[in-house]
Amino acid sequence: MPQLARRIGRAKPSAIMQVAEKAKRLKSEGRDIISFSIGVPNFLPGEHVYAAVREALAKDSGQYGSNRGADALLDAFIEHMAKIGLTGYGRVNVATGIGAKHVIYNLAEALLDEGDTIVFPTPYWTSYLDIAEIVNAKIDLLPCPAEQDYKLTPAQLDAALAKKPKVFLFNNPSNPTGMVYGKDEIDALAAVLVKYPDTWIITDDIYNRMVFDGLGYHNFVHARPELRDRVIFLDSLSKTYGMPGWRVGFMAGPESVAQALATMNSNHITNVPEMVTAAAVAALTGPQDVPTQKCAEFQAKRDQVMDAMAAIPGVICPRPQGAFYVFPDISVAYGKTHGPSGLKIGNDMDFCNALLETKGVACVPGSAFGEPRALRISYTCPTPQLAPGLQRFQEFFAELV
């Protein structure tokens, strides 16, 4: 029979979804499972979002929409950006997609020819590597271990950009670590970026409204406005508004890049659906009480998780200040055995499998994010499940011999 394209051999299923599916299967079999795995916010948007959808349904045109995005949606996103200090963008600078992941894939197709280099820090969101491999780009990973708080240093960035990569991809706040770069850190990295004018800069900042401790969100364009013609800012409804399944992502940047993404859309999705557009406009322009409340709740949950991690001898866990993840280095467990079950812990995969099998707690192995000494805890589970899940996590460590 005919063969599949070679690029399919480079495509991999999402490691995060594989863990989530295993947890779901065990739960369907009657197991008591607490999931710290998939990164969904686990809340719903405000009623005004649903009201906007009902109104749009009543007025459904049944027609194709704009490849770039409806004017009302572009304007809402531009206003949304202005609230975090990203001003001066017009409709020609903005494009939409079916979620931020789709936008990233479009950017990879638009910016990277086969063999071009993309550089990004480790730990990274799993799809960065997967998408880069599908488009057959060269990948330069910049290790940022727990010892440096999972953050990229200016010296690392300088050395990487000296090799003239086509794209630098940056994530702030970070998935999987929850770490946030403060103003001084962004300023220092931006000072490096201005030295290398031939590299595109993608800032995947979809958690920019989920920043804790009064730290605030900062972008390279804030620090060095002259970077505006190379910085591509990404955002999404998924995390801030509890709308991951609605699939709305955005980019803002140079006009040529926005036009390229609109052209890509014209060749596959055509447009963001009309009802989804109505929901997105309502979320961006309507009351912001739900995301504000949830950000405060996530900060409190962060504190609860950090207290639990601090009580486990040998676990190293830099304090995250955004998103809804904690990324502890659990390598102290390697080489040990879980006493009651006899399961040996040789690496992060062994640890997560044993934790799920013996305690019913699902986490994602750090190797999925390029850091095999760690694992990711997503603490968006229902609040009543958080304390029992953390207790089981601590019990598992206590039973290692």
Side-chain angles (χ1 to χ4, degrees), residues 15-33:
I16 300 170
M17 293 306 298
Q18 287 178 319
V19 173
E21 287 300 319
K22 183 176 181 180
K24 187 184 298 183
R25 175 176 55 79
L26 291 174
K27 193 167 187 175
S28 71
E29 295 171 358
R31 292 283 305 277
D32 177 18
I33 302 298

Side-chain angles (χ1 to χ4, degrees), residues 139-193:
I139 302 164
D140 186 9
L141 300 177
L142 307 180
C144 302
E147 291 78 11
Q148 62 187 61
D149 289 339
Y150 298 128
K151 289 184 180 181
L152 182 67
T153 68
Q156 281 180 297
L157 180 60
D158 201 11
L161 296 187
K163 294 183 280 187
K164 299 186 176 180
K166 186 70 175 295
V167 173
F168 167 54
L169 176 54
F170 186 69
N171 181 209
N172 177 45
S174 165
N175 177 5
T177 68
M179 304 307 288
V180 180
Y181 289 77
K183 182 180 184 303
D184 290 346
E185 292 168 318
I186 290 294
D187 288 350
L189 294 174
V192 175
L193 290 167

Side-chain angles (χ1 to χ4, degrees), residues 15 21 26 30 75 147 175 212 230 310 312 331 333 371 392 394:
E21 287 300 319
L26 291 174
D75 291 345
E147 291 78 11
N175 177 5
F212 310 146
R230 290 193 286 131
I312 303 173
S331 58
E371 178 45 89
R392 295 182 195 182
Q394 291 175 309

Side-chain angles (χ1 to χ4, degrees), residues 76-386:
F77 179 56
I78 289 167
E79 180 183 342
H80 180 75
M81 287 193 301
K83 293 175 182 176
I84 55 172
L86 295 175
T87 58
Y89 293 89
R91 293 175 183 170
V92 295
N93 303 111
V94 178
T96 61
I98 306 298
K101 185 187 293 187
H102 174 234
V103 174
I104 294 171
Y105 189 90
N106 271 357
L107 286 171
E109 292 279 12
L111 302 180
L112 292 163
D113 288 313
E114 288 201 18
D116 283 344
T117 297
I118 181 171
V119 57
F120 48 86
T122 301
Y124 49 76
W125 182 47
T126 57
S127 291
Y128 295 163
L129 189 74
D130 297 342
I131 290 171
E133 289 181 339
I134 290 171
V135 302
N136 212 18
K138 294 179 181 176
I139 302 164
D140 186 9
L141 300 177
L142 307 180
C144 302
E147 291 78 11
Q148 62 187 61
D149 289 339
Y150 298 128
K151 289 184 180 181
L152 182 67
T153 68
Q156 281 180 297
L157 180 60
D158 201 11
L161 296 187
K163 294 183 280 187
K164 299 186 176 180
K166 186 70 175 295
V167 173
F168 167 54
L169 176 54
F170 186 69
N171 181 209
N172 177 45
S174 165
N175 177 5
T177 68
M179 304 307 288
V180 180
Y181 289 77
K183 182 180 184 303
D184 290 346
E185 292 168 318
I186 290 294
D187 288 350
L189 294 174
V192 175
L193 290 167
V194 296
K195 296 165 52 180
Y196 299 97
D198 296 325
T199 297
W200 290 107
I201 305 157
I202 301 174
T203 62
D204 177 9
D205 295 354
I206 69 170
Y207 296 92
N208 65 79
R209 299 297 177 101
M210 290 185 178
V211 178
F212 310 146
D213 306 324
L215 185 62
Y217 165 75
H218 303 280
N219 187 281
F220 297 132
V221 173
H222 295 143
R224 292 293 186 108
E226 63 267 38
L227 291 172
R228 178 186 292 266
D229 63 357
R230 290 193 286 131
V231 169
I232 302 158
F233 168 76
L234 305 187
D235 207 340
S236 165
L237 294 186
S238 296
K239 315 300 182 177
T240 301
Y241 293 100
M243 299 173 68
W246 291 83
R247 308 310 303 142
V248 185
F250 307 93
M251 63 75 52
E255 182 176 348
S256 61
V257 177
Q259 180 57 55
L261 264 65
T263 300
M264 294 289 289
N265 284 347
S266 75
N267 284 285
H268 41 69
I269 68 162
T270 302
N271 60 272
V272 174
E274 189 172 351
M275 307 311 147
V276 175
T277 293
V281 171
L284 292 169
T285 62
Q288 302 296 302
D289 53 320
V290 172
T292 299
Q293 173 193 344
K294 292 302 176 181
C295 184
E297 289 181 11
F298 288 144
Q299 178 172 322
K301 284 186 170 183
R302 183 277 315 267
D303 292 342
Q304 191 173 350
V305 178
M306 288 301 297
D307 287 345
M309 295 301 107
I312 303 173
V315 167
I316 302 169
C317 192
R319 182 179 180 83
Q321 292 186 288
F324 37 65
Y325 308 109
V326 169
F327 200 66
D329 181 326
I330 45 86
S331 58
V332 67
Y334 299 170
K336 297 183 179 180
T337 300
H338 180 249
S341 67
L343 293 171
K344 297 185 182 301
I345 311 298
N347 53 41
D348 60 325
M349 295 290 291
D350 293 342
F351 185 100
C352 288
N353 283 328
L355 180 66
L356 181 56
E357 292 292 339
T358 65
K359 297 296 182 182
V361 175
C363 297
V364 183
S367 53
F369 309 99
E371 178 45 89
R373 297 183 300 170
L375 57 77
R376 190 187 75 174
I377 294 172
S378 174
Y379 50 79
T380 63
C381 61
T383 300
Q385 295 181 8
L386 184 58

Side-chain angles (χ1 to χ4, degrees), residues 1-8:
M1 63 181 291
Q3 299 298 304
L4 297 174
R6 285 190 295 273
R7 73 177 63 88
I8 292 300

Side-chain angles (χ1 to χ4, degrees), residues 54-71:
R54 288 190 288 268
E55 183 178 349
L57 278 168
K59 299 177 180 177
D60 179 29
S61 71
Q63 301 300 310
Y64 290 121
S66 164
N67 302 144
R68 185 185 296 273
D71 285 350

